Amino acid sequence: MQTVDRIHIRAPLERVFEAAAAVERWPAILPHYRWVRRLEGNLVEMAAWRPFGVLRYPTWWVSEMTQDAAAGEIRYRHVRGITRGMEVVWRLVEVGGGSEGGVDVEIVHTWAGPRWPLIGRLAADLVIGPVFIHGIASRTLAGIKRAVEGTNGGASS
């Protein structure tokens, strides 16, 4: 399974990278995040809601997180939770100048699926990836965009 989510954010690369990397602050700017906790070392525990109309389904995972500001990448390797083994990379690329300038952000989730006999890969390809992963990642990107482009810390020319 591979899901790819993208967004363009009109702000300096440094500001976008800072917001994307400051995961402990996500619950304050992303209403679908229940909590994010730093554990030992590079481990982060994350919990989010996946909304379905008026209903919300709770999700939870623990990842090893690494940041490479020079490369414009943030990586996660899920080590606990149903998505154990998932590899995630955020790529931030500065583009253009003037009114169209900013940062293209792409999140790629790659995973073989849960280790469920017969249906693990199918569950990942048909439900977990397109419904849960995309549902949360697209909301995360939209929220980061709102926070960075908003009146408190918006883009400057």
Side-chain angles (χ1 to χ4, degrees):
M1 174 222 75
Q2 186 175 69
T3 64
V4 179
D5 291 277
R6 295 181 180 96
I7 202 162
H8 179 76
I9 301 176
R10 288 187 179 97
L13 177 64
E14 298 78 19
R15 187 177 300 149
V16 178
F17 190 89
E18 180 183 330
V23 295
E24 299 95 330
R25 289 187 249 158
W26 283 9
I29 64 170
L30 304 172
H32 63 290
Y33 267 82
R34 301 181 308 158
W35 74 79
V36 176
R37 297 181 185 122
R38 284 255 181 209
L39 305 176
E40 66 277 356
N42 290 339
L43 290 180
V44 290
E45 178 183 41
M46 299 177 150
W49 296 108
R50 172 48 172 107
F52 293 97
V54 297
L55 302 175
R56 298 183 306 168
Y57 189 89
T59 62
W60 170 89
W61 63 97
V62 173
S63 298
E64 290 178 347
M65 177 185 177
T66 58
Q67 302 174 29
D68 185 344
E73 288 189 354
I74 303 166
R75 292 182 174 270
Y76 300 90
R77 187 172 64 83
H78 291 211
V79 295
R80 294 184 211 145
I82 194 172
T83 54
R84 183 180 187 170
M86 181 180 292
E87 299 286 337
V88 183
V89 60
W90 286 55
R91 291 189 181 97
L92 291 77
V93 177
E94 196 164 29
V95 294
S99 63
E100 294 304 313
V103 180
D104 285 340
V105 183
E106 175 182 76
I107 306 175
V108 179
H109 290 81
T110 306
W111 186 44
R115 295 183 183 150
W116 300 339
L118 304 175
I119 64 164
R121 181 69 183 211
L122 195 61
D125 290 342
L126 297 179
V127 178
I128 298 170
V131 175
F132 286 89
I133 303 302
H134 169 68
I136 292 169
S138 63
R139 284 172 174 80
T140 300
L141 286 174
I144 297 279
K145 178 181 176 81
R146 277 190 309 273
V148 173
E149 289 182 353
T151 55
N152 295 330
S156 60
S157 299

